[in-house]
């Protein structure tokens, strides 16, 4: 029986008071306990930023690697041992800026991992520069005349990439977020959960209040069909006065792991190694 | 009296020394056929001690897409089957069709691991061959071409036009058979029997059906007969029996590297295609399902190495291979592996840089780069095989060192090594021992909550666990971290952790093997080399000794961490040291001097993208004398 205290970490938390990350951590822990995920069978892979510190604040296996390179590391871990539950975690700069190329290809591969992107539309760790998801006109020290390029829309990218699970959550809706995380982990394939999150130190525009006034839950609309890709495109485009949260798109398709006969019986880890079996291969050179 | 060339150059400074030597290299290009001559080959061939021998080189020149490689591989197989040693070097341009390429097949009764300077038979499939390659023809050598196909005429009786295409259409029922006509013609010049070639064609086209086999065999026979009937000059090349009956193996450096990795337990390969490393990925892919290996082509080299790091972290042996440019992209992750103490094996197959450079050619220009790549201090090992047997053994060593010391190991090869075909008597898989290093299991961890990933130890090695294998958890971090693996800013912990990581370098240094010294003993001249030049330097040393210039080869295949004790023999220390390297500055010579305190007297350097021949080396040393 997995209990909340099983996920307790002794590491002291280095986030600003009031940071949206606290709520996301709470939702994540609750989700892991609810699905009875054993901590030692879970790996959380993260990059660099404020969000990627998260795995230190749980008791589980953690690989905190390079900025933007979360998804390839997570892919390597999952391919080596697909019995593990693998969660990748990062921020908007980490995932949509530095790691943009890996994001596209992880969705294409449909590796069975859950990707939590803490999206606060600003760089926190480097103290307040524009991020790929900053709205146009967003003024920072590096964009004194306001961000000039349109914001990257990760959900549109995900639906266009036929990502097999596309969702958006909000740090202010902890129970709803917990449900999304559970659904993402249970989903067989790549699950993107973009999580809107206020940054109390560097984003004075997209505040808790700003998000709260705009978000609405798609789930409330029973007629919404998340398997309809055109609907999903429309929903993913919504931004501004009304911002949808919930599962935007889902599609069942084979995972990357299923493509390899090498792991049909057992994970790569634990397979016996015997150099002697290669003697027969030498014949092809004769 | 000390000979002039033996005088140690005391001017110092790599730049100055190099400039002097470069002139020598440039001069070499102007050396004509006669100066370099085939005489050295025939001298060896007729050496009384070794008895009557064979050392024939056949070059096939043409455009990409004309089937050069299929001709060379059939020739190679034909002779390997008869017990001969074959070495093929591939020289090709960076294009899929057209351009000018050649394969050079060297056939010998004794092991050969380098290209010869001259060829005895030149098969020209295009006009460019008659322009570019004619100078490499030995005095009595033959040029074979088809005047109906290429615009070339010559009154030299050894320049022999054979209607390849006409014969092919007539006898083989298709122009496609022209290459088989050429094969038969070449065999006719060597005084060897035709049958082994016909057998080889049978095997080659087995899957295409009996008609294709027959047409190829008829074409080869017709080419053979045509030469025998029309040749006015008597072939200078004599038949010689090889050991016979014994089945040698013919394989490329890439295949040897891939085989070594797979036999060492490679479970996941991720890479991004880049010449000259791609053949490694292709060979692993071809065997992946048979040996339960996952091959995943990454979106870029950054993804490739990060996937490999992830897989190694989870406990599967994983590697990637690339060339210099791709390795540039991997460097941040190299230091990630150093910091997180994750095993990782990377093959860097060098090609001439900087930047895109000469994509399909060879150089040893990335030694400094791989020795120093990455920000911050962390331990690594660098290995550089020069023969297929070394590749096999060093790949297994690379995985063992990476696992044992939980740090990156780089295997440095180059285009010449990767693409060349070598003949080996046998590959001993018994040399491959698997050492996964210190990995704890559930039984080793009575209190899982007390496990600390980066626990201090005398060796600097902290036993690791594999996620999911025990009830313990581990934190690995690219930030500086505590023994528990959590992020820290503590100065004391920082010092402790840097020392712990760097302590592993001393253990690694003890694992590094000595250089290959050939022949054993002392000599007034040491030819110093590393990596792919093993075969060519060995051959140059043989020639020098036969000419009465006592010389030994000192060849390093395990480069870093360098162990100066390996070069401590007093006799060698007194020798004059000449470095032979495929790069502009003599990167290994500098590295060697720095680590041994010995100065390298001269440097023979080549950076035109082509491999050395022993003639070039001997010629330059003659100049120094």
């Amino acid at each position: 029986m997995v209990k909340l205290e099983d996920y307790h970490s002794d590491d002291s938390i280095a986030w600003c008071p009031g940071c949206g990350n606290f709520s996301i951590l709470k939702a994540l822990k609750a989700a892991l306990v609810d699905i009875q995920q054993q901590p030692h069978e879970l790996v959380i892979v993260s990059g660099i930023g404020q969000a990627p510190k998260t795995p230190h604040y749980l008791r589980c296996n953690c690989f905190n690697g390079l900025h933007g390179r979360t998804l390839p590391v997570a892919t390597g871990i999952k391919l080596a041992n697909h019995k593990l539950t693998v969660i990748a975690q990062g921020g908007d700069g980490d995932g949509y800026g530095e790691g943009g190329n890996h994001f596209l290809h992880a969705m294409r591969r449909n590796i069975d991992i859950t990707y939590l992107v803490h999206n606060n539309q600003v760089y926190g760790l480097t103290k307040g520069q524009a991020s790929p998801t900053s709205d146009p006109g967003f003024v920072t020290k590096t964009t004194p005349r306001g961000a000039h390029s349109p914001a990257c829309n990760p959900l549109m990218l995900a639906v266009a990439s036929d990502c097999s699970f596309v969702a958006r959550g909000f740090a202010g809706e902890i129970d709803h977020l917990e449900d999304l995380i559970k659904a993402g982990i249970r989903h067989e394939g790549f699950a993107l959960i973009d999580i809107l999150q206020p940054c109390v130190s560097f984003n004075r525009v997209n505040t808790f209040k700003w998000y709260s006034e705009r978000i609405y839950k798609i789930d409330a609309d029973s007629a919404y069909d998340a398997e309809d890709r055109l609907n999903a495109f429309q929903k993913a485009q919504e931004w501004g006065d009304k911002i949808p949260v919930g599962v935007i798109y889902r599609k069942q398709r084979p995972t990357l792991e299923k493509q390899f006969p090498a792991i049909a019986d057992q994970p790569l880890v634990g397979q016996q190694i015997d150099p002697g079996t290669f003697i027969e291969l030498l014949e092809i050179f004769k | 009296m000390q000979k002039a060339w033996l005088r140690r150059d005391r001017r110092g400074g790599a730049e100055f020394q190099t400039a002097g030597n470069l002139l020598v290299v440039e001069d070499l290009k102007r050396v004509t056929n006669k100066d370099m001559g085939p005489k050295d080959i025939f001298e060896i061939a007729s050496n009384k001690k070794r008895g009557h021998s064979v050392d024939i080189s056949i070059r096939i020149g043409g455009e990409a897409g004309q089937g050069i490689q299929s001709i060379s591989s059939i020739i190679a197989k034909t002779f390997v089957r008869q017990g001969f040693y074959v070495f093929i070097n591939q020289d090709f341009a960076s294009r899929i069709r057209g351009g000018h390429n050649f394969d050079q097949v060297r056939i010998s009764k004794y092991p050969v691991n380098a290209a010869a300077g001259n060829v005895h038979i030149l098969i020209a499939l295009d006009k460019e061959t008659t322009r570019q390659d004619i100078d490499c023809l030995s005095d009595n050598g033959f040029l074979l071409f088809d005047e109906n196909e290429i615009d070339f005429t010559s009154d030299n009786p050894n320049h022999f036009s054979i209607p390849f295409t006409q014969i092919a259409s007539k006898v083989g029922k298709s122009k496609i058979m022209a290459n088989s006509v050429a094969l038969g013609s070449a065999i006719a010049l060597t005084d060897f029997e035709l049958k082994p070639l016909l057998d080889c064609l049978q095997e080659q086209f087995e899957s295409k059906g009996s008609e294709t086999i027959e047409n190829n065999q008829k074409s080869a026979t017709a080419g053979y007969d045509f030469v025998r009937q029309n040749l006015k000059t008597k072939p200078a090349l004599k038949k010689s029996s090889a050991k016979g009956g014994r089945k040698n193996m013919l394989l490329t450096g890439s295949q040897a590297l891939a085989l070594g990795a797979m036999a060492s337990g490679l479970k996941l390969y991720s890479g991004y295609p880049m010449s000259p490393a791609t053949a490694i990925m292709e060979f692993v892919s071809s065997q992946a399902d048979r040996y339960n290996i996952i091959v995943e082509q990454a979106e870029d080299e950054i993804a490739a190495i990060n996937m490999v790091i992830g897989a190694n972290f989870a406990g599967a042996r994983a590697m990637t291979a690339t060339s210099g440019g791709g390795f540039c992209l991997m460097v941040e992750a190299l230091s990630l592996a150093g910091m997180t103490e994750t095993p990782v094996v990377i093959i860097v197959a060098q090609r001439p840089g900087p930047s895109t450079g000469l994509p399909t050619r060879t150089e040893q220009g990335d030694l400094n780069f791989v020795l120093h790549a990455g920000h911050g201090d962390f331990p690594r090992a660098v290995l550089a095989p020069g023969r297929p047997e070394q590749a096999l053994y060093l790949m297994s060593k690379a995985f063992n060192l990476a696992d044992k010391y939980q740090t990156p190991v780089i295997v440095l090869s180059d285009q010449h090594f990767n693409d060349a075909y070598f003949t080996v008597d046998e590959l001993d898989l018994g040399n491959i021992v698997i050492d996964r290093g210190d990995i704890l299991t559930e039984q080793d961890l009575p209190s899982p909550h007390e496990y600390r990933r980066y626990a201090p130890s005398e060796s600097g090695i902290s036993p690791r666990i594999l996620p999911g294998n025990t009830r313990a958890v581990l934190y690995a971090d690219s930030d500086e971290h505590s023994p528990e693996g959590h992020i820290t800013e503590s100065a004391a912990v920082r010092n402790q952790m840097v020392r712990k990581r760097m302590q592993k370098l001393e253990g690694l240094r003890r694992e590094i093997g000595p250089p290959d010294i050939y022949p054993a003993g002392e000599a007034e001249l040491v030819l110093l080399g590393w990596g792919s030049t093993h075969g060519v330097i060995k051959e140059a040393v043989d020639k020098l000794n036969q000419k009465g210039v006592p010389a030994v080869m000192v060849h390093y295949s395990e480069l870093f961490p360098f162990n100066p004790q390996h070069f401590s023999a007093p006799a060698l220390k007194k020798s004059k040291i000449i470095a032979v390297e495929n790069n502009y500055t003599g990167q290994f010579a500098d590295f060697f001097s720095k680590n041994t305190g010995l100065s390298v007297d001269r440097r023979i350097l080549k950076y035109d993208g082509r491999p050395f021949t022993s003639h070039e080396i001997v010629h330059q040393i003659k100049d120094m004398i």
Side-chain angles (χ1 to χ4, degrees), chain A residues 56 58 62 64-65 102 109 285, chain B residues 296 299 474-475 477-478 486:
Chain A
H56 284 285
L58 295 98
C62 146
N64 181 21
H102 309 311
R109 289 190 177 100
F285 303 118
Chain B
E296 180 63 6
E299 56 271 28
L474 78 157
Y475 296 90
D477 209 294
S478 65
H486 291 309

Side-chain angles (χ1 to χ4, degrees), chain B residues 397-473:
Chain B
K397 186 159 189 169
F399 278 102
N400 288 344
L401 292 180
D403 264 348
K404 192 169 168 187
Y405 293 92
Q406 304 172 10
T407 207
V409 178
I410 296 159
V411 177
L412 198 55
S413 67
D414 56 36
Q415 183 270 332
H416 180 56
F417 180 78
N418 278 49
D419 291 338
Y421 280 85
F422 300 80
T423 307
V424 292
D425 292 329
E426 57 183 329
L427 288 171
D428 187 4
L429 295 170
N431 280 341
I432 295 183
V433 178
I434 313 283
D435 179 359
R436 296 301 314 266
D438 210 347
I439 299 175
L440 302 180
T441 60
E442 187 70 34
Q443 291 76 40
D444 304 319
L445 293 162
S447 331
H449 277 262
E450 286 167 22
Y451 173 72
R452 297 188 303 164
R453 171 65 186 91
Y454 302 107
S457 75
E458 206 170 304
S459 63
I461 301 167
S462 314
R464 60 180 187 136
I465 59 166
L466 307 182
N469 256 19
T470 72
R471 299 195 69 78
V473 299

Side-chain angles (χ1 to χ4, degrees), chain A residues 40 56 58-59 61-62 64-65 69 72 76-77 101-102 105 109 269 271 273 277-281 285-286, chain B residues 81 250 262 267 287 291-292 296-297 299-300 307 310 314 449 468 470 473-478 485-486:
Chain A
H40 68 277
H56 284 285
L58 295 98
R59 184 183 175 273
N61 295 295
C62 146
N64 181 21
R69 313 305 168 197
I77 292 170
N101 196 25
H102 309 311
H105 292 278
R109 289 190 177 100
V269 174
Q271 289 187 14
I273 300 171
T277 58
F278 286 84
I279 288 172
E280 57 195 58
L281 183 59
F285 303 118
K286 288 179 180 168
Chain B
R81 290 290 160 77
L250 184 73
M262 292 191 293
K267 288 279 115 196
Q287 303 301 323
Y291 289 104
N292 285 349
E296 180 63 6
Q297 186 168 317
E299 56 271 28
D300 54 33
M307 269 190 220
H449 277 262
T470 72
V473 299
L474 78 157
Y475 296 90
D477 209 294
S478 65
H486 291 309

Side-chain angles (χ1 to χ4, degrees), chain B residues 233-348:
Chain B
T233 328
K234 197 178 177 308
L237 312 165
K238 296 290 179 201
K239 181 181 162 184
S240 166
S241 58
K243 51 189 176 165
R246 187 160 169 187
K247 264 184 147 183
N248 282 336
M249 277 182 276
L250 184 73
L251 79 171
T252 64
S254 286
Q255 289 169 333
L257 289 164
L259 179 68
M262 292 191 293
S264 306
L266 176 73
K267 288 279 115 196
L268 183 138
Y269 180 101
S270 181
Y272 187 87
M274 183 172 190
S275 299
T278 313
I280 298 168
M281 184 175 186
E282 288 175 346
F283 188 67
V284 174
S285 300
S286 74
Q287 303 301 323
D289 291 350
R290 185 174 173 188
Y291 289 104
N292 285 349
I293 297 165
I294 286 180
V295 178
E296 180 63 6
Q297 186 168 317
E299 56 271 28
D300 54 33
E301 286 85 351
I302 300 172
I305 190 170
N306 277 283
M307 269 190 220
V308 165
I309 287 171
N312 275 303
F313 167 82
R317 281 192 159 179
M319 77 161 187
T320 185
T322 185
S323 192
F327 185 63
C328 289
L329 296 183
M330 294 183 178
V331 169
E332 191 190 17
L334 186 75
S335 74
L336 168 71
M339 183 56 136
T340 57
E341 304 197 39
T342 309
V344 60
V345 174
I346 306 156
I347 297 175
V348 180

Side-chain angles (χ1 to χ4, degrees), chain A residues 103-117:
Chain A
F103 175 51
L104 293 181
H105 292 278
M107 291 190 287
R108 192 168 66 87
R109 289 190 177 100
N110 201 30
I111 179 92
D112 184 14
I113 60 180
T114 307
Y115 187 29
L116 308 179
V117 185

Side-chain angles (χ1 to χ4, degrees), chain A residues 3-256:
Chain A
K3 301 181 292 296
L4 194 59
E5 50 265 39
D6 293 333
Y7 276 99
H8 173 76
S9 164
D10 292 328
D11 201 22
S12 59
I13 295 185
W15 292 324
C16 308
C19 177
N21 282 331
F22 287 98
S23 315
I24 300 172
L25 176 61
K26 195 173 172 192
L28 175 60
K29 277 188 179 179
L32 292 169
V33 172
D34 197 58
I35 63 168
Q36 288 293 294
Q37 171 65 50
Q38 289 288 347
H40 68 277
E41 288 168 352
L42 167 70
V43 185
I44 301 184
V45 183
S46 63
I48 297 298
Q50 293 296 355
K53 293 176 181 171
T54 309
H56 284 285
Y57 310 143
L58 295 98
R59 184 183 175 273
C60 66
N61 295 295
C62 146
F63 189 96
N64 181 21
L66 298 173
H67 191 49
R69 313 305 168 197
T70 312
L71 292 173
V73 174
T75 302
I77 292 170
K78 188 71 182 182
L79 288 177
N81 187 354
H82 60 277
K83 302 283 185 206
L84 295 169
T85 299
V86 180
I87 294 175
Q89 194 163 34
D92 37 320
D94 186 270
Y96 305 143
E98 192 94 7
N101 196 25
H102 309 311
F103 175 51
L104 293 181
H105 292 278
M107 291 190 287
R108 192 168 66 87
R109 289 190 177 100
N110 201 30
I111 179 92
D112 184 14
I113 60 180
T114 307
Y115 187 29
L116 308 179
V117 185
H118 303 211
N119 180 0
N120 55 11
Q121 303 183 256
V122 71
Y123 281 74
L125 192 73
T126 52
K127 301 188 179 175
Q129 300 79 25
S131 101
T133 52
S134 295
D135 287 323
F138 186 66
V139 175
T140 71
K141 279 181 269 186
T142 56
T143 53
R145 286 181 284 109
H148 40 261
S149 298
C152 154
N153 183 331
L155 302 189
M156 284 285 281
L157 277 173
V159 178
S161 304
D162 212 16
C163 177
S164 63
F165 182 99
V166 183
R168 178 189 279 140
F170 172 46
E173 292 281 350
I174 297 179
D175 292 345
H176 181 254
L177 179 60
E178 182 194 328
D179 287 343
L180 288 179
I181 294 172
K182 282 190 285 190
I185 294 173
R186 284 185 179 130
H187 170 74
E188 208 175 307
F190 187 84
L192 168 71
I193 306 175
D194 181 75
I195 307 166
L196 297 174
Q197 165 212 20
C199 174
V200 291
S201 297
F202 299 110
N203 193 337
R204 302 296 159 85
V205 179
N206 312 100
T207 58
F208 184 84
K209 184 164 175 284
W210 188 92
Y211 287 121
S212 300
E213 286 168 359
R214 287 165 173 80
I215 66 146
Y216 73 96
K217 292 176 186 153
I218 318 168
D219 327 44
D221 176 6
S222 56
Y224 182 76
D225 179 6
E227 290 180 13
D228 183 330
R229 203 169 178 193
L230 282 177
N231 265 351
F233 268 120
Q234 271 184 339
K235 199 56 88 182
Q237 281 189 73
E238 285 183 25
W239 185 262
D241 292 342
K242 284 177 75 78
I243 300 173
V245 295
V247 179
I248 307 266
Y249 180 63
R250 63 160 82 222
K251 181 182 181 175
Q252 286 302 325
R253 61 185 178 96
T255 62
L256 181 65

